[in-house]
């Protein structure tokens, strides 16, 4: 099961995230989402656990718990939504080259 973990302190490491969940079962992977430009953590991440019962136990135990002054939001991750349309932020405008 893929688990979403939000409202994490920016100081939390992937090892600390994995350790928090490993108390409830085997962790396949733990990853922090980082800003692509700065490389800094965005304050959320994902934990993968193979056993659904262990994952459910971890979600129930850790959701709402405080870690380094912040209450964690822990739930089953939803599939990533497909982005529709094309956003050209900062790109060329339609209607030719007017730069």
């Amino acid at each position: 099961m893929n688990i979403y973990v939000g409202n994490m302190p920016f100081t939390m490491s992937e090892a600390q995230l994995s350790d928090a969940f490993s108390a409830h079962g085997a962790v396949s992977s733990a990853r922090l989402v980082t800003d692509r430009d700065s490389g800094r953590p965005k304050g959320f991440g994902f934990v993968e656990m193979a056993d659904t019962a262990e994952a459910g136990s971890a979600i129930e135990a850790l959701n709402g718990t405080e870690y380094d002054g912040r209450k964690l939001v822990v739930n089953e991750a939803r599939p990533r939504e497909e982005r529709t349309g094309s956003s050209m932020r900062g790109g060329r405008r339609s209607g030719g080259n007017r730069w």
Side-chain angles (χ1 to χ4, degrees):
M1 176 185 289
N2 196 19
I3 303 166
Y4 167 83
V5 185
N7 200 38
M8 295 186 335
F10 296 109
T11 57
M12 190 175 212
S13 68
E14 286 182 347
Q16 290 170 319
L17 180 60
S18 180
D19 288 347
F21 279 81
S22 65
H24 303 280
V27 173
S28 304
S29 68
R31 128 183 124 77
L32 301 177
V33 176
T34 56
D35 181 78
R36 113 179 68 181
D37 296 327
S38 69
R40 293 182 188 149
K42 287 187 161 190
F44 69 97
F46 296 92
V47 174
E48 185 76 35
M49 297 179 79
D51 188 296
T52 307
E54 290 176 350
S57 171
I59 290 170
E60 192 171 313
L62 295 173
N63 186 39
T65 59
E66 196 168 299
Y67 190 94
D68 216 13
R70 301 189 72 160
K71 281 192 175 188
L72 299 179
V73 175
V74 183
N75 52 45
E76 185 175 351
R78 295 185 298 252
R80 190 172 180 171
E81 293 180 14
E82 290 292 321
R83 294 183 180 182
T84 58
S86 64
S87 174
M88 300 274 301
R89 279 189 251 153
R92 280 194 247 165
R93 297 179 201 167
S94 62
N97 200 0
R98 298 181 187 167
W99 302 80

